[in-house]
Amino acid sequence: MTKENKLYKTGEVAKMFSIKKDTLFYYDRIGLFSPKYRKGNTSYRYYDSSQIKILDTILSLREMDIPIEQLRQYLEDINNNSFLDLMELENKKLDAKIQDLTIKRKIIAELSKKMKKAMECEYDKLYIIEEMPRYYLSLPIKKRGKSIEEDWNKAYEEFWNSVDSNEIITNGSILPKENFLAGKYSELSYITGFTIRKSDKSTCKGLYANFYIKCAYSDLVNKYKLFQEALSKEGYMPVSDVHEEYIITSLSEKNEENFVTLLSVMVEKGSTL
């Protein structure tokens, strides 16, 4: 047998390319790359030297994450143009992945920043800061159940079913300004999710009063009075709805008493509640 027609066993081919024999068995099973010869009814398989370059092509393209079906089509018509078409398609996929990973990285960084602030701050204390606009998604809380809690839970479920959770930094709720001023702290109007992308809704640039609360969600309503009192004491008047933002949640904390919620409202100085 000439050198050009040398036969190789499965193990020899696997060793040549530093892959597992199971990879070759899998390619054979799906009809992507099969041995040239089989020895009777035994499990012995032989590849000849003319197949080595084909396997090298397959493995090289798989390293680029080319899907099996696209790879199969390409092998049927290998030429410069089809290769360039394949590379262009993969380049577009990579651009999309890079964009997705960039968004995830920003979300991770922003969430980490928020959590560190929530862990280090003093609770039940007023923080007055200038803030830039922040984009968020929202879903109205409809009155349809037997209780406010039931309505909120239903809206919360619908919200997460309607958004891409991978784009949400933190979620929360909105308490209308008039309800806040009237002491109706449990009558929330929207489920919200702050997002890294631009959306049609955003907070306004301006002066904000932030108030971090450490307690279970069930006790959150009782903490609103402290927020109102702190605003009044410092001479600030709310000029927007109140955003509840859930910073430390069951995602990282087992004990509900250690959950941290940020209450934030745009304010102006010189008035009292």
Side-chain angles (χ1 to χ4, degrees), residues 42-60:
T42 68
S43 60
Y44 289 103
R45 308 155 188 237
Y46 296 92
Y47 301 83
D48 72 11
S49 49
S50 68
Q51 294 181 282
I52 300 305
K53 289 184 179 180
I54 297 176
L55 180 58
D56 185 46
T57 297
I58 291 172
L59 296 176
S60 296

Side-chain angles (χ1 to χ4, degrees), residues 229-242:
E229 291 173 351
L231 287 170
S232 182
K233 182 179 179 181
E234 298 296 329
Y236 288 101
M237 186 70 181
V239 294
S240 72
D241 295 337
V242 180

Side-chain angles (χ1 to χ4, degrees), residues 111-123:
L111 179 57
S112 298
K113 179 181 176 182
K114 285 180 173 294
M115 288 187 65
K116 288 176 182 178
K117 174 66 176 177
M119 293 166 65
E120 297 169 357
C121 73
E122 184 177 340
Y123 304 114

Side-chain angles (χ1 to χ4, degrees), residues 23-170:
T23 300
L24 293 171
F25 294 152
Y26 171 67
Y27 288 164
D28 181 24
R29 187 168 66 252
I30 65 175
L32 180 66
F33 182 74
S34 300
K36 195 81 170 183
Y37 306 101
R38 299 177 191 271
K39 189 173 181 180
N41 295 324
T42 68
S43 60
Y44 289 103
R45 308 155 188 237
Y46 296 92
Y47 301 83
D48 72 11
S49 49
S50 68
Q51 294 181 282
I52 300 305
K53 289 184 179 180
I54 297 176
L55 180 58
D56 185 46
T57 297
I58 291 172
L59 296 176
S60 296
L61 294 177
R62 287 298 290 154
E63 281 289 321
M64 299 180 192
D65 290 330
I66 304 296
I68 292 293
E69 287 309 311
Q70 288 184 13
L71 182 52
R72 193 193 304 275
Q73 294 174 15
Y74 175 70
L75 292 175
E76 293 177 357
D77 184 23
I78 299 178
N79 60 69
N80 290 332
N81 288 330
S82 58
F83 180 78
L84 289 174
D85 289 342
L86 188 63
M87 292 300 98
E88 183 179 356
L89 180 61
E90 286 309 302
N91 194 48
K92 290 180 180 179
K93 290 181 180 179
L94 286 173
D95 285 342
K97 286 182 180 179
I98 290 171
Q99 184 179 12
D100 183 56
L101 289 173
T102 300
I103 291 173
K104 287 180 179 179
R105 186 173 185 176
K106 288 181 179 179
I107 289 175
I108 289 171
E110 186 66 21
L111 179 57
S112 298
K113 179 181 176 182
K114 285 180 173 294
M115 288 187 65
K116 288 176 182 178
K117 174 66 176 177
M119 293 166 65
E120 297 169 357
C121 73
E122 184 177 340
Y123 304 114
D124 300 339
K125 176 183 176 180
L126 206 61
Y127 291 88
I128 304 299
I129 60 172
E130 287 283 346
E131 286 194 357
M132 298 298 292
R134 299 173 59 202
Y135 293 100
Y136 65 91
L137 305 175
S138 65
L139 186 78
I141 302 173
K142 299 178 181 178
K143 294 182 179 181
R144 51 193 165 186
K146 297 180 180 180
S147 66
I148 294 175
E149 182 179 2
E150 186 177 332
D151 291 338
W152 188 93
N153 288 335
K154 183 63 177 177
Y156 184 81
E157 179 183 350
E158 291 178 350
F159 174 81
W160 285 112
N161 287 334
S162 66
V163 300
D164 182 354
S165 60
N166 293 319
E167 296 184 358
I168 301 298
I169 305 170
T170 54

